[in-house]
Every structure is written in structure tokens, then in C-alpha cells.
Amino acid sequence: MVKSNHIIEISNVTKSFPDKVVLDDVSLSVKQGEFLTILGPSGCGKTTLLRLIAGFNSASSGKILIDGKDMTSVPPHERPVNTVFQRYALFPNYNVYDNIAFGLKLKKVDKKEIEQRVKRALKMVGMTDYEHRDVQSLSGGQQQRVAIARAIVNRPQVLLLDEPLAALDLKMRKDMQMELKEMHSSLGITFVYVTHDQEEALTLSDTVVVMNEGVIQQIGSPTDIYNEPCNAFVADFIGESNILNATMIRDGLVEFMGKEFECVDTGFGENVPVDVVVRPEDVYIIRNAEAAMFHGTVRSCIFKGVHYEMFVDTPDGYEIQIQDYNSFEPGTEVGMMIKPADIHVMRKERTENHVEGKLVDATHVEILGEEFECAAVEGIENGATVDVSFGFSDVELTDDPDDGISWGTIRFILYKGDRYHLTVRTDEGDDIFIDTHDVWEDLDEVGIKIRPEAIKVTAITKA
Amino acid sequence: MGKLVKFFSRRRTWSLPYVLFLAVFVVAPLLLIMVYAFQAEDGGFSLENFEKFIHQREAMNTFIYSIGIALITTLICILLGYPAAYILSKMRTSTARVVVMLFILPMWINVLVRTLATVALFDFLTLPLGEGALIFGMVYNFLPFMIYPIYNVLQKMDHSLIEAAEDLGATPRQVFTKVVFPLSMPGIVSGIMMVFMPTISTFAIAELLTMNNIKLFGTTIQENINNGMWHYGAALSFIMLVIIGLTTLFTGSDDENSANDGGLL
């Protein structure tokens, strides 16, 4: 058998706990020697994925191969991987030396060799002379260094790192990032790194895997992920961005904020609704000049060290975030320009809500676990399972969950320049999407009302 | 008036009643024991009570026997209590809480009532009372004090330490011997303190469960005091206090902060 250069192969892995699915059909290959980062917000399943690789949890379905071998029934202590834990997990009953030597002693490595290897590992993490210190007397940064030394001293094929720098302060984190990167190139082993810090992911990795809600959103190099986000979630999560609703008029021409812009994207079709992403540093801001593509008024301007961050309101009610080396006083009328190559067009994941429901009678349908009044239906039997659709703007959210017909929790908020695009998960587990000008907070409990005339019911044609 | 308000609003003031209570009922009696222990019958300072103890074979034997019984009881409590605590710590918290409750529930019944019940049980089963019954009674009475601190430590143990050990190549057995057991030592130490010390000084359990056939050190002290041998009784109490003090010193030196982790209180 020819060995592939993939050290880890994850195929169709699903992990569900009694009350929720944490990983949904995840497939991923990790190349030998690469620095791969799994990036996502908390609760996206990234740590679970790492724990499956380490063997602390087992997948509900799917397969994980490490170095070509199926790991399904291999316990953690027999896997060729070592883990660096978020909270260090150093053994408080051993000193620094014994912590690092723990794995080697278990493998019955020769005493002299253990000593050499521990010393080398300590040197690598810059902790020479700390051998006999009590681990609890060390600072967080030092403890994490010991934890890294304890893992790499075993020369694993893959080093798994679970948010190893999350508990450190900013300065220490930056230093450790550089050291990890150097360590990776000098050790030549594969690193699988989990973090929620997008900057860390972009700085360190060869490959970034962006995850959300248990699903891989995008896999690519840091530049790919940053410059060509594949959907609004990735664009929003990685770096700052202006995400706007747009219409692709034809190849190379896109319309948003009521104006037409040249762009370089093709292949979306004609007059197709899309999302565009423009990074704040890609918007050129100039004194109100004839040359500008569009105009606006500076609302706020904050100095951020290297650049100024400004929010500009356009006359049409859009808000554009801009980063520039020049500052403009709030209230200043300015002009703005965007280069065609800096407009990133993304296919919309959806243009309206679709849920499955059950027809109650000609004007009522059961969706989201409740009975809603709907536009008059003809020709469908009562009690039939039907496809129900309604627009993003046809939903009204209420502060008090009891005021709505159904209710749910706000799971994701995306700002689109002039409105918020909310994802609300109902009790039944359905996701519905809402466009609104009102400001809501993540995890707010809301009531859901839908305009009856906007609810369209169509029969599900049997395949 | 203002001074009075100030006096009552100080936190220190509120601890006064307890300090007084402590002084009168704990500190003063302890001092009295010390004074009595070093006094001869005529009231002068002397070590004759201690000399009497060393030369009187019977008291010395009872003393050594009591320590032996206490050691055996403690050992059995560890052997029975550790696995129980370990299993408890693996249960779901809600279930474990109920089971711990069941372990502790009998503690709310007076020790004499429980011991009398034990006597009745031995009678019913026509088992002989004596040394075996004594150890059974002691273990029965003190086992929860061993289980609880160990359970407490095991339950609070950072699970990532166990995972780290597995990750570094430890088999489940090695995880236990190299990580879990050493880290649960503070709980065992607390348990020993809660079991060993009270068992040296019990006398009611011994009297009831051995039909007065076996004397423990606590019984000797009680007998002496009952018979008006105040000075000798005080000296014997003093010796026991020293032993208890030494145990505390020995077990407490393990680790200041971890000893608190396992505390029952």
C-alpha cells in the first residue's frame, strides 16, 4: 500500500451528545508536517474534534486514521499523538523534571536517555535550570512551556494543542506564538492547533479550518481565508469586514448600496442576489471629491495605533467601516472608493426561509412547533407535510418570548451595513433567518411572529 | 452612645461570645488537664502520674492495645472507604449526592443508639461480642468520615490531569497509581485524622460491644476520673492529647493548601 502524505484522515465524523450534535459529518485531512489550525467560536465543535483525534471521546460515526491506521478502538495511551492542554494539566505531585519525564518513564526509556531528552526539551522551551522547581510555583507562561516540553519530549507524530495560549496575557501570547512557530519548523512534526483567536490562526498556520456549529465552513491558507472568505460567517469571523447584500448584475458588475461597482468575480449568473465583503482597509477615503464612487459623513473616528478606524454613514442609510492612516473628524463629508479586486462576491447561502410544516386547514399551517396563520392554500390535503417559505423581513421578533406565536434564541448576528441578519434557533431546533433594523443581543430569547400573507405553502412533490 | 454603636458595629465584637465560650469550655479545661496532670495528690508539681503510667503495666498495655485497635480500624476504613469513594466520584453528581447522603444519614443518629443497635444485631445473628464486634462497630461508626474527604478530593480532581496521563501513555492502571492515588492523598490524610483520633479515645463503643471485657484507653481514663483519681486521669488524658497532637502535626505537614481540599468541614 502506498502511504499517502496525510498523517491524519478524518472522514465523515459525526459526534452527538444526547441533547445536541456537536460535529456534523466532518471530513478533514492533515498533511504530514503541516501546522493546521481549527478556528471557530466557542461551542463550534473544534475542541471536540481535537479530543476525538486524541482519543478522549469517540465519534458517534465516521472514521479517524492516524498514519494510515484506524484509531476507532485505539485508547488514548496507544495513539501516536500528544496533547498540550488549555489549562496546562501539569501533575502537581511531580516537579518540572518528573512531569516532562512522565511519558518517557512509562515507555521504560533508558534513564540516561530520559535525562538527555528532558534537558533538550527544557532547552527548547527556554526553561533550562527549572528542572527541580515545583510546578505550582511557576507562572502561567512557564507552566505552559513545561506542558509543551512534556508533550514534545515523547516525539509524537502529531502534537495537538487545545487553545494553549488562551490563559496567557497578550504580550506573553505573542511571544509564545513566535516560539511555537519556530518549534514547529525545527521539530518537523505535525501541529494541530485549536483556537478561537482568528489573528493567532492567521499568524501561525499553514492551513486554517474555519468551523461553526459543528460544520467545517472553509479550509484554506490564511491568505485564502482572509481574502476569499467563502461565506458571510467566515468573512465576519476572520478580521473586520463590511458585509452587504448585493445583486450580481452580470460578470464583473455588482450592485450594492444602490450603486453599481466593477468587480473581478465571474460565474454567478445575471441578476443573482449575493453578499459582498469589503475589508475596512480596502475602502479608500478622500475629502469629498468628484472622483469618489460614493459619499458619506464620518460618524466616529478612533485611533487604533497604526491606523484610524472610522464609521461612515452614507445618505442611503448604510454604515461603512473604514481603516485608514489619515484621520477625518466626525461630521466631515467624505468620498470613498473601492478597487474592483477588493470587492469579494459570495454566493448567498439562502434568500428566504424554508421550513417543513404540516397543513392544518386552508389558512393555517403548523411550523416551528406552533400553528401559524398563512396565505390561503388551495389543492393540498389537510394534514399533508408541506414546504413553507417566508422572507427574511416578514418575521417580527418580540422582546417577550410569550408574545410571539413561537419562540427561539438568537444564535448569530451579522451586520450588513444597513440591517442585521439574525439567525434564530427555535425550541424545535429549526433555524430561521431574519432581517431587522432593531438591535438584539446574542442568546436573547425572543418571540417569533410571521406576517400571515407572507407565509407561502407549497406541496412537497414526492420524488 | 456613638461609642456603643461603634463597638457593636465592629466585626471583632461579634466574635466575643464565641471567644468567651471557647475560653471557658475549651481552653480552660485543657489548661486544667495540664495542671492536674503535673500535680501530685498534695498539689505540688510532680511527674509521679507519668511514672505511675509507665510502671503500671495495665494502663500501658491498654494504651498500646488502643492504638493497635485504632490503627486496624483506620486501615479497614481506608480499604473499604477508598474504593467506595472512588466509585462515588465516577457517578453522576446528582446520583453521587444521594448516595453520599445515604452514607451520612446514620451519622445523625446518636452513636450510643447505633452501637446498641449493633449489639442487638450481633445478638440476633448469635455472633459473639468481643474484639471482632468492637472493630466492626468502630468501622461502622467511622467509615463515613473516611469516605467523605476522599470522595471530596477525587470529585474535585481536574479531569484533564487524568487525560494528560492517558495522553502520555499511561494505561488505566498507571493513571491510577501515578496520578489519581497520589493526588488523593490529602483526602486520605483528612480521613485518617477523622477516624484515627476519635477511635483512640472512644470508650462507649468498646464497653457496649465487648460487654466490658475489652478495655480501651478511653475507658481507663473514664474509670480513673469516675473513681476520683483526677490527677492520674488528667495525666492519661494529657498523654492522649499529645498523641493526637502528634498525629495532626504528622498528617498536617503534608501540604498546607491541599489538606484543606479534603476537609470534612
Side-chain angles (χ1 to χ4, degrees):
Chain A
M1 198 184 92
V2 184
K3 241 175 141 182
S4 73
N5 65 339
H6 287 151
I7 182 83
I8 302 176
E9 296 257 22
I10 297 166
S11 34
N12 310 103
V13 163
T14 295
K15 173 73 184 170
S16 38
F17 289 110
D19 47 345
K20 76 182 268 205
V21 178
V22 187
L23 291 174
D24 190 3
D25 198 22
V26 169
S27 295
L28 175 67
S29 303
V30 184
K31 282 204 246 11
Q32 177 81 51
E34 82 173 323
F35 197 129
L36 179 131
T37 301
I38 305 170
L39 173 69
S42 60
C44 74
K46 55 187 191 302
T47 296
T48 309
L49 186 56
L50 197 78
R51 292 174 59 82
L52 291 182
I53 300 173
F56 301 136
N57 294 115
S58 53
S60 309
S61 69
K63 221 160 62 172
I64 296 177
L65 302 185
I66 301 178
D67 201 19
K69 284 187 277 289
D70 187 355
M71 289 286 137
T72 310
S73 55
V74 179
H77 67 268
E78 286 169 16
R79 297 195 180 198
V81 300
N82 283 117
T83 309
V84 176
F85 293 84
Q86 184 176 352
R87 309 288 323 178
Y88 326 131
L90 296 178
F91 306 121
N93 50 325
Y94 296 126
N95 65 13
V96 170
Y97 183 94
D98 290 329
N99 259 282
I100 300 175
F102 191 89
L104 296 176
K105 280 183 184 163
L106 289 172
K107 288 189 196 77
K108 304 239 169 359
V109 176
D110 178 63
K111 245 198 171 140
K112 270 212 183 102
E113 198 192 331
I114 292 182
E115 201 177 322
Q116 280 175 2
R117 280 167 74 171
V118 171
K119 287 212 162 120
R120 218 176 304 147
L122 275 169
K123 200 172 162 201
M124 188 135 208
V125 295
M127 294 278 291
T128 317
D129 297 339
Y130 279 86
E131 287 151 61
H132 301 296
R133 289 281 290 272
D134 180 5
V135 290
Q136 279 168 321
S137 69
L138 302 178
S139 70
Q142 290 170 332
Q143 290 195 35
Q144 194 54 286
R145 282 164 203 268
V146 175
I148 293 168
R150 184 177 68 174
I152 61 175
V153 78
N154 301 292
R155 297 179 186 151
Q157 297 195 32
V158 182
L159 185 68
L160 307 173
L161 302 107
D162 182 10
E163 307 215 23
L165 310 182
L168 305 180
D169 63 50
L170 185 67
K171 177 83 176 60
M172 180 71 83
R173 202 152 66 218
K174 299 270 177 212
D175 292 347
M176 287 292 286
Q177 281 175 10
M178 286 303 112
E179 284 178 40
L180 277 173
K181 188 124 179 112
E182 275 165 32
M183 233 178 267
H184 174 250
S185 53
S186 61
L187 286 169
I189 56 178
T190 313
F191 277 37
V192 177
Y193 192 99
V194 160
T195 184
H196 65 270
D197 182 337
Q198 42 102 4
E199 199 197 322
E200 198 165 282
L202 298 180
T203 313
L204 292 172
S205 329
D206 299 320
T207 306
V208 178
V209 178
V210 185
M211 281 189 73
N212 188 35
E213 303 263 328
V215 177
I216 293 180
Q217 305 288 318
Q218 187 170 4
I219 303 175
S221 70
T223 36
D224 283 349
I225 299 271
Y226 189 82
N227 289 331
E228 301 294 336
C230 71
N231 61 34
F233 171 81
V234 178
D236 182 59
F237 193 71
I238 310 284
E240 305 281 336
S241 49
N242 295 291
I243 303 170
L244 302 163
N245 287 324
T247 309
M248 198 71 185
I249 295 172
R250 57 167 194 271
D251 281 358
L253 191 66
V254 64
E255 186 234 293
F256 55 91
M257 298 194 297
K259 296 190 172 53
E260 289 180 5
F261 291 84
E262 270 181 55
C263 67
V264 294
D265 295 273
T266 56
F268 285 86
E270 293 190 359
N271 293 316
V272 177
V274 291
D275 284 325
V276 298
V277 174
V278 182
R279 297 291 181 187
E281 67 272 22
D282 291 336
V283 183
Y284 294 89
I285 182 166
I286 48 178
R287 292 261 164 219
N288 206 355
E290 291 301 309
M293 293 161 128
F294 58 106
H295 301 91
T297 314
V298 176
R299 197 182 66 220
S300 70
C301 177
I302 298 163
F303 182 54
K304 288 274 187 175
V306 180
H307 57 260
Y308 291 88
E309 184 175 87
M310 287 163 279
F311 285 93
V312 176
D313 292 325
T314 73
D316 314 310
Y318 288 91
E319 182 192 83
I320 305 293
Q321 188 184 2
I322 301 172
Q323 291 172 356
D324 203 290
Y325 298 118
N326 301 307
S327 74
F328 292 85
E329 283 294 301
T332 318
E333 296 277 324
V334 290
M336 285 156 286
M337 296 195 297
I338 308 169
K339 281 199 248 168
D342 291 333
I343 296 172
H344 308 293
V345 179
M346 301 179 304
R347 212 172 285 282
K348 269 194 187 295
E349 283 163 275
R350 62 195 83 78
T351 51
E352 59 178 3
N353 285 296
H354 274 280
V355 290
E356 199 171 85
K358 208 170 96 188
L359 194 66
V360 179
D361 60 37
T363 55
H364 288 88
V365 67
E366 192 186 309
I367 48 171
L368 313 174
E370 299 293 330
E371 196 176 303
F372 283 76
E373 198 184 334
C374 63
V377 182
E378 276 174 39
I380 305 174
E381 260 181 66
N382 290 348
T385 307
V386 288
D387 177 63
V388 180
S389 65
F390 47 94
F392 297 144
S393 318
D394 299 321
V395 184
E396 189 198 331
L397 297 181
T398 58
D399 273 318
D400 187 346
D402 293 334
D403 287 346
I405 296 167
S406 182
W407 60 88
T409 313
I410 297 183
R411 296 296 298 253
F412 182 56
I413 302 174
L414 187 67
Y415 186 56
K416 287 212 154 171
D418 65 336
R419 72 191 72 182
Y420 295 95
H421 188 65
L422 308 178
T423 307
V424 173
R425 178 160 300 173
T426 65
D427 261 16
E428 308 281 301
D430 292 309
D431 280 337
I432 61 167
F433 305 92
I434 296 133
D435 277 346
T436 174
H437 295 282
D438 301 333
V439 180
W440 297 92
E441 294 227 13
D442 214 11
L443 298 177
D444 270 353
E445 301 253 329
V446 291
I448 300 165
K449 281 186 195 167
I450 309 173
R451 278 198 306 132
E453 59 275 23
I455 300 182
K456 288 184 213 62
V457 177
T458 45
I460 293 178
T461 43
K462 286 203 180 88
Chain B
M1 190 64 197
K3 260 186 185 169
L4 207 65
V5 171
K6 209 171 159 193
F7 177 76
F8 277 111
S9 60
R10 274 187 311 186
R11 207 188 303 181
R12 230 185 321 156
T13 311
W14 290 89
S15 63
L16 266 182
Y18 183 63
V19 170
L20 275 174
F21 182 86
L22 214 62
V24 176
F25 294 105
V26 180
V27 180
L30 281 176
L31 288 175
L32 274 178
I33 287 178
M34 274 182 72
V35 172
Y36 268 75
F38 290 99
Q39 262 180 354
E41 293 295 327
D42 57 15
F45 174 84
S46 102
L47 291 174
E48 70 177 29
N49 296 317
F50 295 96
E51 278 161 24
K52 186 172 164 196
F53 169 67
I54 291 165
H55 292 121
Q56 205 185 43
R57 284 230 72 92
E58 202 209 327
M60 194 63 169
N61 283 345
T62 316
F63 181 66
I64 291 165
Y65 183 77
S66 296
I67 289 181
I69 290 284
L71 281 175
I72 291 167
T73 305
T74 312
L75 190 72
I76 294 174
C77 280
I78 293 175
L79 291 179
L80 290 177
Y82 198 97
Y86 188 76
I87 293 164
L88 271 176
S89 72
K90 295 264 165 201
M91 285 182 183
R92 287 191 11 225
T93 335
S94 51
T95 324
R97 221 174 272 158
V98 174
V99 180
V100 169
M101 202 56 206
L102 289 176
F103 275 120
I104 293 187
L105 211 61
M107 294 297 106
W108 292 346
I109 298 163
N110 185 286
V111 62
L112 287 177
V113 178
R114 261 181 293 142
T115 308
L116 284 168
T118 314
V119 173
L121 185 72
F122 270 71
D123 266 354
F124 178 73
L125 296 172
T126 59
L127 290 168
L129 293 174
E131 202 170 52
L134 171 64
I135 292 173
F136 175 86
M138 298 272 230
V139 169
Y140 169 62
N141 268 301
F142 290 104
L143 188 57
F145 295 105
M146 183 60 82
I147 293 176
Y148 194 80
I150 298 174
Y151 163 71
N152 222 4
V153 169
L154 287 175
Q155 195 235 341
K156 279 189 197 144
M157 194 174 290
D158 184 357
H159 193 71
S160 66
L161 292 175
I162 293 162
E163 285 178 350
E166 285 178 339
D167 187 73
L168 292 166
T171 60
R173 202 177 133 173
Q174 287 167 326
V175 171
F176 181 78
T177 55
K178 294 195 184 292
V179 177
V180 178
F181 188 72
L183 287 178
S184 58
M185 271 321 279
I188 299 175
V189 166
S190 291
I192 290 174
M193 285 168 70
M194 302 296 293
V195 174
F196 181 71
M197 291 200 248
T199 44
I200 311 186
S201 58
T202 45
F203 60 90
I205 299 176
E207 278 180 20
L208 292 171
L209 280 173
T210 66
M211 312 278 277
N212 270 334
N213 283 331
I214 297 178
K215 255 206 272 179
L216 288 189
F217 199 53
T219 323
T220 313
I221 296 173
Q222 187 229 10
E223 278 174 356
N224 278 298
I225 301 232
N226 276 357
N227 296 330
M229 314 269 279
W230 289 82
H231 297 280
Y232 187 51
L236 295 182
S237 300
F238 184 77
I239 289 165
M240 204 169 68
L241 281 174
V242 170
I243 296 288
I244 290 173
L246 285 177
T247 324
T248 320
L249 218 61
F250 164 69
T251 48
S253 66
D254 183 57
D255 187 356
E256 311 165 15
N257 40 23
S258 56
N260 296 336
D261 291 348
L264 185 67
L265 304 171

